[in-house]
Amino acid sequence: MSSAPGAEFSRRHRVTTLIVLGLLAGLGPFTIDLYLPAFPAVKDDFGTTDAVVQLTLSATTLGFAFGQLVMGPLSDRVGRRRPLLVATAVHVLASVAVAMAPDIVTLMLMRVVQGFGAAAGTVVAMAMVRDLFGGKQLTTALSRLALVIGIAPIAAPVIGSWLVGFLHWRGLFWVLAAYAVLVIVLQLLFLRETLPPHLRHERGHSTLGQRYRAVLTDRVFVGVVIIGASIFGGMFAYISTASLLLQEVYGFTPGQFGLVFALCSVGVLIGTQTAGRAANRFGPQWVLAVSTALLVVSAAGIVALDLAGLGVAGLVPPLAVFAFAFGLSMPCVQTLALVGHSSEAGTAASLLGACNMSIAGLVSPIVGLFRIENAIPMGTIMFLCGLLATASLWFVVRPRTVPAIE
């Protein structure tokens, strides 16, 4: 019999737990991306520039990254539930403050706090999955969680584009506050502590230094963190640019903009669900060999087709392929990062998530330095991120050296 507690769950219990953890994990991406379609409205309301509005996105992602670095190790030390509940309550208060922000500086500061509060959902949800499942069950469970983590950054702007059709941009943050209240209720009703006290002080893994040493001296972990950060950087080059590129350069309406994001969401969905089956059959490292190659090829296609003058017709198909490759990569990155670190799952998940969000937060203003007149700056950064992910896989992770997951 498996020692993983989740192996004894009924199907209904397992599905309910994964749905609640998925909603928790989705709070962060929705917090970051729901208001992307409202960028032009925020800019006009505060009389500011595109670059300043994009900095509010960076502020959120950096708050989210810092929050993960705090919440992951904290959850290894005191358990999972308390950090989740406290951080989500902070998110509710920050969402209300953003909705009532009188100026762009206040909005930016409260977005940092909001990102910090959302961080626990993603990192602790991933750690709880590792607490509950092992082996190939872990890969399958993480593919379900990655479905939410991967699709939420793309689905959130679709939902946001629909909401801004009848809500002021401030209303989006009242929606986020309601979402956070909902997940607090679900946590109280359905989630139990997955890290009992006797496992929080395991020999050799009890102090913060020991936990960080365990993960940072693991070559495979370091390599997949670089891959994860790279693919998130590529995706955020697209996410932070698409609103202005599609609406102000190509003249899309919010609804048409939402359709493009919906297509990419489908790509991520197919990718994450393909990854679980393929990783269990071939190994996550070999799935990454395919997905990182697709990232490079699709990003190169964006640049080449734009230079050929094809416009939107040359942009959307490679974007969809990039989204599929992103979805295909994520569960494999999470599995390889967590499978060998059951004793410090929160710390491992926090480092993975913080690096992802830090790079994403840095990519947004870098793209903003270029005049958004075409897709070439965005595609170039996506291409470079794909190259970095590929190099890390073959020269740091080294697929042939990764043991099979039983």
CSV table of all heavy atoms in Angstrom, one decimal, residues 26-42 56-57 60-61 91 95 98 111 114 151-180 236 239 243 247 254 257-258 261:
chain,number,residue,atom,x,y,z
A,26,GLY,N,-5.4,29.1,-8.6
A,26,GLY,CA,-5.8,30.1,-9.6
A,26,GLY,C,-6.0,31.5,-9.1
A,26,GLY,O,-6.0,32.4,-9.9
A,27,LEU,N,-6.0,31.7,-7.7
A,27,LEU,CA,-6.2,33.0,-7.2
A,27,LEU,C,-5.0,34.0,-7.6
A,27,LEU,O,-5.3,35.1,-8.0
A,27,LEU,CB,-6.3,33.0,-5.7
A,27,LEU,CG,-6.5,34.3,-5.0
A,27,LEU,CD1,-7.8,35.0,-5.4
A,27,LEU,CD2,-6.5,34.1,-3.4
A,28,GLY,N,-3.8,33.4,-7.6
A,28,GLY,CA,-2.7,34.3,-8.0
A,28,GLY,C,-2.7,34.7,-9.4
A,28,GLY,O,-2.7,35.9,-9.7
A,29,PRO,N,-2.8,33.8,-10.4
A,29,PRO,CA,-2.9,34.2,-11.8
A,29,PRO,C,-4.1,35.1,-12.1
A,29,PRO,O,-4.0,36.1,-12.9
A,29,PRO,CB,-3.1,32.9,-12.5
A,29,PRO,CG,-2.4,31.9,-11.7
A,29,PRO,CD,-2.7,32.3,-10.3
A,30,PHE,N,-5.3,34.9,-11.5
A,30,PHE,CA,-6.4,35.8,-11.7
A,30,PHE,C,-6.1,37.2,-11.1
A,30,PHE,O,-6.5,38.2,-11.7
A,30,PHE,CB,-7.7,35.2,-11.1
A,30,PHE,CG,-8.5,34.4,-12.1
A,30,PHE,CD1,-8.2,33.0,-12.3
A,30,PHE,CD2,-9.5,35.0,-12.8
A,30,PHE,CE1,-8.9,32.3,-13.2
A,30,PHE,CE2,-10.2,34.3,-13.7
A,30,PHE,CZ,-9.9,32.9,-13.9
A,31,THR,N,-5.5,37.2,-10.0
A,31,THR,CA,-5.1,38.5,-9.3
A,31,THR,C,-4.2,39.3,-10.3
A,31,THR,O,-4.3,40.5,-10.4
A,31,THR,CB,-4.4,38.2,-8.0
A,31,THR,OG1,-5.3,37.6,-7.1
A,31,THR,CG2,-3.9,39.6,-7.4
A,32,ILE,N,-3.3,38.6,-10.9
A,32,ILE,CA,-2.3,39.3,-11.8
A,32,ILE,C,-2.9,39.7,-13.1
A,32,ILE,O,-2.7,40.9,-13.6
A,32,ILE,CB,-1.1,38.4,-12.0
A,32,ILE,CG1,-0.3,38.1,-10.7
A,32,ILE,CG2,-0.2,39.0,-13.1
A,32,ILE,CD1,0.7,37.0,-10.8
A,33,ASP,N,-3.8,38.9,-13.7
A,33,ASP,CA,-4.1,39.1,-15.1
A,33,ASP,C,-5.6,39.5,-15.4
A,33,ASP,O,-5.9,39.8,-16.5
A,33,ASP,CB,-3.9,37.8,-15.8
A,33,ASP,CG,-2.4,37.4,-15.8
A,33,ASP,OD1,-1.6,38.3,-15.8
A,33,ASP,OD2,-2.1,36.2,-15.8
A,34,LEU,N,-6.5,39.4,-14.4
A,34,LEU,CA,-7.9,39.7,-14.7
A,34,LEU,C,-8.1,41.1,-15.3
A,34,LEU,O,-8.9,41.3,-16.1
A,34,LEU,CB,-8.7,39.6,-13.4
A,34,LEU,CG,-10.2,39.7,-13.6
A,34,LEU,CD1,-10.8,38.5,-14.3
A,34,LEU,CD2,-10.9,39.8,-12.2
A,35,TYR,N,-7.2,42.1,-14.8
A,35,TYR,CA,-7.5,43.4,-15.3
A,35,TYR,C,-6.7,43.9,-16.5
A,35,TYR,O,-6.7,45.0,-16.9
A,35,TYR,CB,-7.3,44.4,-14.1
A,35,TYR,CG,-5.8,44.9,-13.9
A,35,TYR,CD1,-5.5,46.2,-13.7
A,35,TYR,CD2,-4.8,43.9,-13.7
A,35,TYR,CE1,-4.2,46.6,-13.5
A,35,TYR,CE2,-3.5,44.4,-13.5
A,35,TYR,CZ,-3.2,45.7,-13.4
A,35,TYR,OH,-1.9,46.1,-13.1
A,36,LEU,N,-6.0,42.9,-17.2
A,36,LEU,CA,-5.2,43.3,-18.3
A,36,LEU,C,-6.0,44.0,-19.4
A,36,LEU,O,-5.6,45.0,-20.0
A,36,LEU,CB,-4.5,42.1,-18.9
A,36,LEU,CG,-3.4,41.4,-18.1
A,36,LEU,CD1,-2.8,40.2,-18.9
A,36,LEU,CD2,-2.3,42.4,-17.8
A,37,PRO,N,-7.3,43.6,-19.7
A,37,PRO,CA,-8.1,44.3,-20.7
A,37,PRO,C,-8.4,45.7,-20.3
A,37,PRO,O,-8.8,46.5,-21.1
A,37,PRO,CB,-9.3,43.4,-20.9
A,37,PRO,CG,-8.9,42.1,-20.3
A,37,PRO,CD,-8.0,42.3,-19.3
A,38,ALA,N,-8.3,46.0,-19.0
A,38,ALA,CA,-8.6,47.3,-18.5
A,38,ALA,C,-7.4,48.3,-18.5
A,38,ALA,O,-7.6,49.4,-18.1
A,38,ALA,CB,-9.2,47.2,-17.1
A,39,PHE,N,-6.3,47.9,-19.0
A,39,PHE,CA,-5.1,48.7,-19.1
A,39,PHE,C,-5.4,50.1,-19.7
A,39,PHE,O,-5.1,51.1,-19.2
A,39,PHE,CB,-4.0,48.0,-19.8
A,39,PHE,CG,-3.1,47.2,-18.9
A,39,PHE,CD1,-3.4,46.8,-17.7
A,39,PHE,CD2,-1.8,46.8,-19.4
A,39,PHE,CE1,-2.6,46.1,-16.9
A,39,PHE,CE2,-0.9,46.1,-18.6
A,39,PHE,CZ,-1.3,45.7,-17.3
A,40,PRO,N,-6.1,50.1,-20.9
A,40,PRO,CA,-6.4,51.4,-21.5
A,40,PRO,C,-7.2,52.3,-20.6
A,40,PRO,O,-7.0,53.5,-20.5
A,40,PRO,CB,-7.1,51.1,-22.8
A,40,PRO,CG,-6.6,49.7,-23.1
A,40,PRO,CD,-6.4,49.0,-21.8
A,41,ALA,N,-8.2,51.7,-19.9
A,41,ALA,CA,-9.1,52.4,-19.0
A,41,ALA,C,-8.4,53.0,-17.8
A,41,ALA,O,-8.6,54.1,-17.4
A,41,ALA,CB,-10.3,51.6,-18.6
A,42,VAL,N,-7.5,52.2,-17.2
A,42,VAL,CA,-6.7,52.6,-16.1
A,42,VAL,C,-5.8,53.8,-16.5
A,42,VAL,O,-5.6,54.8,-15.8
A,42,VAL,CB,-5.8,51.4,-15.5
A,42,VAL,CG1,-4.9,51.9,-14.4
A,42,VAL,CG2,-6.7,50.3,-15.0
A,56,THR,N,2.3,48.4,-12.9
A,56,THR,CA,1.4,47.8,-11.9
A,56,THR,C,1.3,46.3,-12.0
A,56,THR,O,1.1,45.6,-11.0
A,56,THR,CB,0.0,48.4,-12.0
A,56,THR,OG1,-0.6,48.0,-13.2
A,56,THR,CG2,0.0,50.0,-12.0
A,57,LEU,N,1.5,45.8,-13.2
A,57,LEU,CA,1.6,44.4,-13.4
A,57,LEU,C,2.9,43.8,-12.7
A,57,LEU,O,2.8,42.8,-12.0
A,57,LEU,CB,1.5,44.0,-14.9
A,57,LEU,CG,1.6,42.6,-15.3
A,57,LEU,CD1,0.5,41.8,-14.7
A,57,LEU,CD2,1.7,42.4,-16.8
A,60,THR,N,2.6,43.6,-9.0
A,60,THR,CA,1.9,42.5,-8.5
A,60,THR,C,2.7,41.2,-8.5
A,60,THR,O,2.7,40.4,-7.6
A,60,THR,CB,0.6,42.3,-9.3
A,60,THR,OG1,0.0,43.5,-9.5
A,60,THR,CG2,-0.4,41.4,-8.6
A,61,THR,N,3.4,41.0,-9.7
A,61,THR,CA,4.2,39.7,-9.8
A,61,THR,C,5.3,39.7,-8.8
A,61,THR,O,5.6,38.6,-8.3
A,61,THR,CB,4.7,39.6,-11.2
A,61,THR,OG1,5.4,40.8,-11.6
A,61,THR,CG2,3.6,39.4,-12.2
A,91,HIS,N,-5.3,39.1,1.1
A,91,HIS,CA,-5.7,39.4,-0.3
A,91,HIS,C,-7.1,40.1,-0.4
A,91,HIS,O,-7.2,41.0,-1.2
A,91,HIS,CB,-5.7,38.1,-1.0
A,91,HIS,CG,-6.1,38.2,-2.5
A,91,HIS,ND1,-7.4,38.3,-2.9
A,91,HIS,CD2,-5.4,38.3,-3.6
A,91,HIS,CE1,-7.5,38.5,-4.2
A,91,HIS,NE2,-6.2,38.4,-4.6
A,95,SER,N,-7.5,43.7,-2.0
A,95,SER,CA,-8.4,43.9,-3.2
A,95,SER,C,-9.4,45.0,-3.0
A,95,SER,O,-9.6,45.8,-4.0
A,95,SER,CB,-9.2,42.6,-3.5
A,95,SER,OG,-8.3,41.5,-3.8
A,98,VAL,N,-7.4,48.3,-3.5
A,98,VAL,CA,-7.1,48.6,-4.9
A,98,VAL,C,-8.4,49.1,-5.5
A,98,VAL,O,-8.3,50.1,-6.3
A,98,VAL,CB,-6.6,47.3,-5.6
A,98,VAL,CG1,-6.5,47.6,-7.1
A,98,VAL,CG2,-5.3,46.9,-5.1
A,111,ARG,N,-1.3,46.7,-5.0
A,111,ARG,CA,-1.1,45.6,-5.9
A,111,ARG,C,0.0,44.7,-5.4
A,111,ARG,O,0.0,43.5,-5.5
A,111,ARG,CB,-0.9,46.0,-7.3
A,111,ARG,CG,-2.1,46.5,-8.0
A,111,ARG,CD,-3.1,45.4,-8.4
A,111,ARG,NE,-2.7,44.7,-9.5
A,111,ARG,CZ,-3.3,43.5,-9.9
A,111,ARG,NH1,-4.3,43.0,-9.1
A,111,ARG,NH2,-2.9,42.9,-11.0
A,114,GLN,N,-1.5,42.8,-2.6
A,114,GLN,CA,-2.5,41.9,-3.1
A,114,GLN,C,-1.7,40.6,-3.7
A,114,GLN,O,-2.2,39.5,-3.5
A,114,GLN,CB,-3.3,42.5,-4.2
A,114,GLN,CG,-4.6,41.8,-4.6
A,114,GLN,CD,-5.3,42.5,-5.8
A,114,GLN,OE1,-4.6,43.1,-6.6
A,114,GLN,NE2,-6.6,42.3,-5.9
A,151,ILE,N,-3.7,27.7,-17.2
A,151,ILE,CA,-4.8,28.3,-18.0
A,151,ILE,C,-5.2,29.6,-17.4
A,151,ILE,O,-5.7,30.5,-18.1
A,151,ILE,CB,-5.9,27.3,-18.2
A,151,ILE,CG1,-6.7,27.6,-19.5
A,151,ILE,CG2,-6.9,27.3,-17.0
A,151,ILE,CD1,-7.7,26.5,-19.9
A,152,ALA,N,-5.1,29.7,-16.1
A,152,ALA,CA,-5.6,30.9,-15.5
A,152,ALA,C,-5.0,32.2,-16.0
A,152,ALA,O,-5.7,33.2,-16.2
A,152,ALA,CB,-5.5,30.8,-13.9
A,153,PRO,N,-3.7,32.3,-16.2
A,153,PRO,CA,-3.1,33.6,-16.7
A,153,PRO,C,-3.7,33.9,-18.1
A,153,PRO,O,-3.7,35.1,-18.5
A,153,PRO,CB,-1.6,33.3,-16.8
A,153,PRO,CG,-1.4,32.1,-15.9
A,153,PRO,CD,-2.6,31.3,-16.0
A,154,ILE,N,-4.1,33.0,-18.8
A,154,ILE,CA,-4.7,33.2,-20.2
A,154,ILE,C,-6.2,33.4,-20.1
A,154,ILE,O,-6.8,34.3,-20.8
A,154,ILE,CB,-4.3,32.1,-21.2
A,154,ILE,CG1,-2.8,32.0,-21.2
A,154,ILE,CG2,-4.8,32.4,-22.5
A,154,ILE,CD1,-2.3,30.9,-22.1
A,155,ALA,N,-6.9,32.6,-19.3
A,155,ALA,CA,-8.3,32.7,-19.1
A,155,ALA,C,-8.7,34.0,-18.4
A,155,ALA,O,-9.8,34.6,-18.7
A,155,ALA,CB,-8.9,31.5,-18.4
A,156,ALA,N,-7.9,34.4,-17.5
A,156,ALA,CA,-8.3,35.6,-16.7
A,156,ALA,C,-8.5,36.9,-17.6
A,156,ALA,O,-9.5,37.6,-17.4
A,156,ALA,CB,-7.2,35.9,-15.6
A,157,PRO,N,-7.7,37.2,-18.5
A,157,PRO,CA,-8.0,38.3,-19.4
A,157,PRO,C,-9.2,38.1,-20.2
A,157,PRO,O,-9.9,39.1,-20.6
A,157,PRO,CB,-6.7,38.4,-20.3
A,157,PRO,CG,-5.6,37.8,-19.5
A,157,PRO,CD,-6.3,36.6,-18.8
A,158,VAL,N,-9.5,36.8,-20.6
A,158,VAL,CA,-10.8,36.6,-21.3
A,158,VAL,C,-12.0,37.0,-20.5
A,158,VAL,O,-12.9,37.7,-20.9
A,158,VAL,CB,-10.9,35.1,-21.7
A,158,VAL,CG1,-12.2,34.8,-22.5
A,158,VAL,CG2,-9.7,34.7,-22.6
A,159,ILE,N,-12.0,36.5,-19.2
A,159,ILE,CA,-13.0,36.9,-18.3
A,159,ILE,C,-13.0,38.4,-18.0
A,159,ILE,O,-14.1,39.0,-18.0
A,159,ILE,CB,-12.9,36.1,-17.0
A,159,ILE,CG1,-13.1,34.6,-17.3
A,159,ILE,CG2,-13.9,36.5,-16.0
A,159,ILE,CD1,-12.7,33.7,-16.1
A,160,GLY,N,-11.8,38.9,-17.9
A,160,GLY,CA,-11.7,40.4,-17.7
A,160,GLY,C,-12.3,41.2,-18.8
A,160,GLY,O,-13.0,42.2,-18.6
A,161,SER,N,-12.0,40.7,-20.0
A,161,SER,CA,-12.6,41.4,-21.2
A,161,SER,C,-14.1,41.4,-21.3
A,161,SER,O,-14.7,42.3,-21.7
A,161,SER,CB,-12.0,40.9,-22.5
A,161,SER,OG,-12.4,39.5,-22.7
A,162,TRP,N,-14.7,40.3,-20.8
A,162,TRP,CA,-16.1,40.2,-20.7
A,162,TRP,C,-16.6,41.1,-19.6
A,162,TRP,O,-17.6,41.9,-19.8
A,162,TRP,CB,-16.5,38.8,-20.4
A,162,TRP,CG,-18.0,38.6,-20.1
A,162,TRP,CD1,-19.0,38.8,-21.0
A,162,TRP,CD2,-18.6,38.2,-18.9
A,162,TRP,NE1,-20.2,38.5,-20.4
A,162,TRP,CE2,-20.0,38.1,-19.1
A,162,TRP,CE3,-18.1,37.8,-17.7
A,162,TRP,CZ2,-20.9,37.8,-18.1
A,162,TRP,CZ3,-18.9,37.5,-16.6
A,162,TRP,CH2,-20.3,37.4,-16.9
A,163,LEU,N,-16.0,41.1,-18.4
A,163,LEU,CA,-16.4,42.0,-17.3
A,163,LEU,C,-16.3,43.5,-17.6
A,163,LEU,O,-17.2,44.2,-17.1
A,163,LEU,CB,-15.6,41.6,-16.0
A,163,LEU,CG,-15.9,40.2,-15.4
A,163,LEU,CD1,-14.9,40.0,-14.3
A,163,LEU,CD2,-17.3,40.1,-14.9
A,164,VAL,N,-15.3,43.9,-18.3
A,164,VAL,CA,-15.1,45.3,-18.5
A,164,VAL,C,-16.2,45.8,-19.5
A,164,VAL,O,-16.3,47.0,-19.7
A,164,VAL,CB,-13.7,45.7,-19.0
A,164,VAL,CG1,-12.7,45.5,-18.0
A,164,VAL,CG2,-13.4,45.0,-20.3
A,165,GLY,N,-16.9,44.9,-20.1
A,165,GLY,CA,-18.0,45.3,-20.9
A,165,GLY,C,-19.2,46.0,-20.2
A,165,GLY,O,-19.9,46.8,-20.7
A,166,PHE,N,-19.3,45.6,-18.9
A,166,PHE,CA,-20.4,46.2,-18.1
A,166,PHE,C,-19.9,46.7,-16.7
A,166,PHE,O,-20.7,47.2,-15.9
A,166,PHE,CB,-21.5,45.2,-18.0
A,166,PHE,CG,-21.2,43.9,-17.3
A,166,PHE,CD1,-21.3,43.7,-16.0
A,166,PHE,CD2,-20.8,42.9,-18.1
A,166,PHE,CE1,-21.0,42.5,-15.4
A,166,PHE,CE2,-20.5,41.6,-17.5
A,166,PHE,CZ,-20.6,41.5,-16.2
A,167,LEU,N,-18.6,46.5,-16.3
A,167,LEU,CA,-18.1,47.0,-15.1
A,167,LEU,C,-17.0,48.0,-15.3
A,167,LEU,O,-16.3,47.9,-16.2
A,167,LEU,CB,-17.5,45.8,-14.3
A,167,LEU,CG,-18.4,44.8,-13.6
A,167,LEU,CD1,-17.5,43.7,-12.9
A,167,LEU,CD2,-19.3,45.4,-12.6
A,168,HIS,N,-17.0,49.0,-14.4
A,168,HIS,CA,-15.8,49.9,-14.4
A,168,HIS,C,-14.6,49.0,-14.0
A,168,HIS,O,-14.7,48.0,-13.3
A,168,HIS,CB,-16.1,51.0,-13.3
A,168,HIS,CG,-15.0,52.1,-13.3
A,168,HIS,ND1,-13.9,52.0,-12.6
A,168,HIS,CD2,-15.0,53.3,-14.0
A,168,HIS,CE1,-13.2,53.1,-12.8
A,168,HIS,NE2,-13.8,53.9,-13.6
A,169,TRP,N,-13.4,49.5,-14.3
A,169,TRP,CA,-12.2,48.7,-14.0
A,169,TRP,C,-12.1,48.4,-12.5
A,169,TRP,O,-11.6,47.3,-12.1
A,169,TRP,CB,-10.9,49.3,-14.6
A,169,TRP,CG,-10.5,50.6,-13.9
A,169,TRP,CD1,-10.7,51.9,-14.4
A,169,TRP,CD2,-9.7,50.8,-12.7
A,169,TRP,NE1,-10.2,52.8,-13.6
A,169,TRP,CE2,-9.6,52.2,-12.5
A,169,TRP,CE3,-9.2,49.9,-11.8
A,169,TRP,CZ2,-8.9,52.7,-11.4
A,169,TRP,CZ3,-8.5,50.4,-10.7
A,169,TRP,CH2,-8.4,51.8,-10.5
A,170,ARG,N,-12.6,49.3,-11.7
A,170,ARG,CA,-12.5,49.0,-10.2
A,170,ARG,C,-13.4,47.8,-9.8
A,170,ARG,O,-13.1,47.2,-8.8
A,170,ARG,CB,-12.9,50.3,-9.5
A,170,ARG,CG,-12.0,51.5,-9.7
A,170,ARG,CD,-12.5,52.7,-8.9
A,170,ARG,NE,-11.7,53.9,-9.2
A,170,ARG,CZ,-10.6,54.2,-8.5
A,170,ARG,NH1,-10.2,53.5,-7.5
A,170,ARG,NH2,-9.9,55.3,-8.9
A,171,GLY,N,-14.4,47.6,-10.6
A,171,GLY,CA,-15.3,46.5,-10.3
A,171,GLY,C,-14.6,45.1,-10.4
A,171,GLY,O,-14.9,44.1,-9.7
A,172,LEU,N,-13.5,45.1,-11.2
A,172,LEU,CA,-12.7,43.8,-11.3
A,172,LEU,C,-12.1,43.4,-10.0
A,172,LEU,O,-12.0,42.2,-9.7
A,172,LEU,CB,-11.6,44.0,-12.4
A,172,LEU,CG,-12.1,44.3,-13.8
A,172,LEU,CD1,-10.9,44.4,-14.8
A,172,LEU,CD2,-13.1,43.3,-14.3
A,173,PHE,N,-11.7,44.4,-9.2
A,173,PHE,CA,-11.1,44.1,-8.0
A,173,PHE,C,-12.1,43.7,-6.9
A,173,PHE,O,-11.7,43.0,-5.9
A,173,PHE,CB,-10.2,45.3,-7.5
A,173,PHE,CG,-9.0,45.5,-8.5
A,173,PHE,CD1,-9.1,46.4,-9.5
A,173,PHE,CD2,-7.9,44.7,-8.4
A,173,PHE,CE1,-8.0,46.6,-10.4
A,173,PHE,CE2,-6.9,44.8,-9.3
A,173,PHE,CZ,-6.9,45.7,-10.3
A,174,TRP,N,-13.3,44.2,-7.0
A,174,TRP,CA,-14.4,43.7,-6.1
A,174,TRP,C,-14.6,42.2,-6.4
A,174,TRP,O,-14.9,41.4,-5.6
A,174,TRP,CB,-15.6,44.5,-6.3
A,174,TRP,CG,-15.5,45.9,-5.7
A,174,TRP,CD1,-15.4,47.1,-6.3
A,174,TRP,CD2,-15.5,46.2,-4.3
A,174,TRP,NE1,-15.3,48.1,-5.5
A,174,TRP,CE2,-15.4,47.7,-4.2
A,174,TRP,CE3,-15.6,45.5,-3.1
A,174,TRP,CZ2,-15.3,48.3,-3.0
A,174,TRP,CZ3,-15.5,46.2,-1.9
A,174,TRP,CH2,-15.4,47.6,-1.8
A,175,VAL,N,-14.6,41.9,-7.7
A,175,VAL,CA,-14.7,40.5,-8.1
A,175,VAL,C,-13.6,39.6,-7.5
A,175,VAL,O,-13.8,38.5,-7.0
A,175,VAL,CB,-14.7,40.3,-9.7
A,175,VAL,CG1,-14.6,38.9,-10.1
A,175,VAL,CG2,-16.0,41.0,-10.3
A,176,LEU,N,-12.4,40.1,-7.5
A,176,LEU,CA,-11.2,39.4,-6.9
A,176,LEU,C,-11.4,39.2,-5.4
A,176,LEU,O,-11.1,38.2,-4.9
A,176,LEU,CB,-9.9,40.1,-7.2
A,176,LEU,CG,-9.4,40.0,-8.7
A,176,LEU,CD1,-8.2,40.9,-8.9
A,176,LEU,CD2,-9.0,38.5,-9.0
A,177,ALA,N,-11.9,40.3,-4.8
A,177,ALA,CA,-12.2,40.1,-3.3
A,177,ALA,C,-13.2,39.0,-3.1
A,177,ALA,O,-13.1,38.2,-2.1
A,177,ALA,CB,-12.7,41.5,-2.8
A,178,ALA,N,-14.3,39.0,-3.9
A,178,ALA,CA,-15.3,37.9,-3.7
A,178,ALA,C,-14.7,36.5,-4.0
A,178,ALA,O,-15.0,35.6,-3.3
A,178,ALA,CB,-16.4,38.2,-4.7
A,179,TYR,N,-13.8,36.4,-5.0
A,179,TYR,CA,-13.1,35.1,-5.3
A,179,TYR,C,-12.4,34.7,-4.0
A,179,TYR,O,-12.4,33.5,-3.6
A,179,TYR,CB,-12.2,35.3,-6.5
A,179,TYR,CG,-11.5,34.1,-7.0
A,179,TYR,CD1,-10.7,34.2,-8.1
A,179,TYR,CD2,-11.5,32.9,-6.3
A,179,TYR,CE1,-10.0,33.2,-8.6
A,179,TYR,CE2,-10.8,31.8,-6.8
A,179,TYR,CZ,-10.0,32.0,-7.9
A,179,TYR,OH,-9.3,30.9,-8.4
A,180,ALA,N,-11.6,35.6,-3.4
A,180,ALA,CA,-10.8,35.3,-2.2
A,180,ALA,C,-11.7,34.8,-1.1
A,180,ALA,O,-11.3,33.9,-0.3
A,180,ALA,CB,-9.9,36.4,-1.8
A,236,PHE,N,4.8,35.6,-20.1
A,236,PHE,CA,4.4,36.9,-19.7
A,236,PHE,C,4.9,38.0,-20.7
A,236,PHE,O,4.3,39.1,-20.7
A,236,PHE,CB,5.0,37.2,-18.3
A,236,PHE,CG,4.1,36.9,-17.2
A,236,PHE,CD1,3.8,35.6,-16.8
A,236,PHE,CD2,3.4,37.9,-16.5
A,236,PHE,CE1,2.9,35.3,-15.8
A,236,PHE,CE2,2.5,37.6,-15.6
A,236,PHE,CZ,2.2,36.3,-15.2
A,239,ILE,N,1.6,37.9,-22.4
A,239,ILE,CA,0.5,38.4,-21.6
A,239,ILE,C,0.6,39.9,-21.4
A,239,ILE,O,-0.4,40.6,-21.5
A,239,ILE,CB,0.5,37.6,-20.3
A,239,ILE,CG1,0.0,36.2,-20.5
A,239,ILE,CG2,-0.5,38.3,-19.3
A,239,ILE,CD1,0.1,35.3,-19.3
A,243,SER,N,-2.5,42.9,-24.7
A,243,SER,CA,-3.7,43.8,-24.6
A,243,SER,C,-3.4,45.1,-25.5
A,243,SER,O,-4.3,45.5,-26.3
A,243,SER,CB,-3.9,44.3,-23.2
A,243,SER,OG,-4.9,45.2,-23.1
A,247,GLN,N,-5.3,45.4,-29.2
A,247,GLN,CA,-6.3,46.4,-29.1
A,247,GLN,C,-5.9,47.7,-29.8
A,247,GLN,O,-6.7,48.4,-30.5
A,247,GLN,CB,-6.8,46.6,-27.7
A,247,GLN,CG,-7.5,45.4,-27.1
A,247,GLN,CD,-8.1,45.7,-25.7
A,247,GLN,OE1,-9.2,46.2,-25.6
A,247,GLN,NE2,-7.3,45.3,-24.7
A,254,PRO,N,-12.5,44.5,-27.1
A,254,PRO,CA,-12.2,43.7,-26.0
A,254,PRO,C,-12.7,42.2,-26.2
A,254,PRO,O,-12.0,41.3,-25.8
A,254,PRO,CB,-13.0,44.3,-24.8
A,254,PRO,CG,-12.9,45.8,-25.2
A,254,PRO,CD,-13.1,45.8,-26.7
A,257,PHE,N,-10.2,40.5,-28.6
A,257,PHE,CA,-9.0,40.3,-27.8
A,257,PHE,C,-9.2,39.0,-26.9
A,257,PHE,O,-8.4,38.1,-26.8
A,257,PHE,CB,-8.8,41.5,-26.9
A,257,PHE,CG,-7.8,41.3,-25.8
A,257,PHE,CD1,-6.4,41.2,-26.0
A,257,PHE,CD2,-8.3,41.2,-24.5
A,257,PHE,CE1,-5.6,41.0,-24.9
A,257,PHE,CE2,-7.4,41.1,-23.4
A,257,PHE,CZ,-6.0,40.9,-23.6
A,258,GLY,N,-10.4,38.9,-26.3
A,258,GLY,CA,-10.7,37.8,-25.5
A,258,GLY,C,-10.7,36.5,-26.2
A,258,GLY,O,-10.3,35.4,-25.7
A,261,PHE,N,-7.2,35.2,-26.6
A,261,PHE,CA,-6.8,34.6,-25.3
A,261,PHE,C,-7.5,33.2,-25.1
A,261,PHE,O,-6.9,32.3,-24.5
A,261,PHE,CB,-7.0,35.5,-24.2
A,261,PHE,CG,-5.9,36.4,-23.8
A,261,PHE,CD1,-5.5,37.4,-24.7
A,261,PHE,CD2,-5.1,36.2,-22.7
A,261,PHE,CE1,-4.4,38.2,-24.4
A,261,PHE,CE2,-4.0,37.0,-22.4
A,261,PHE,CZ,-3.6,38.0,-23.2
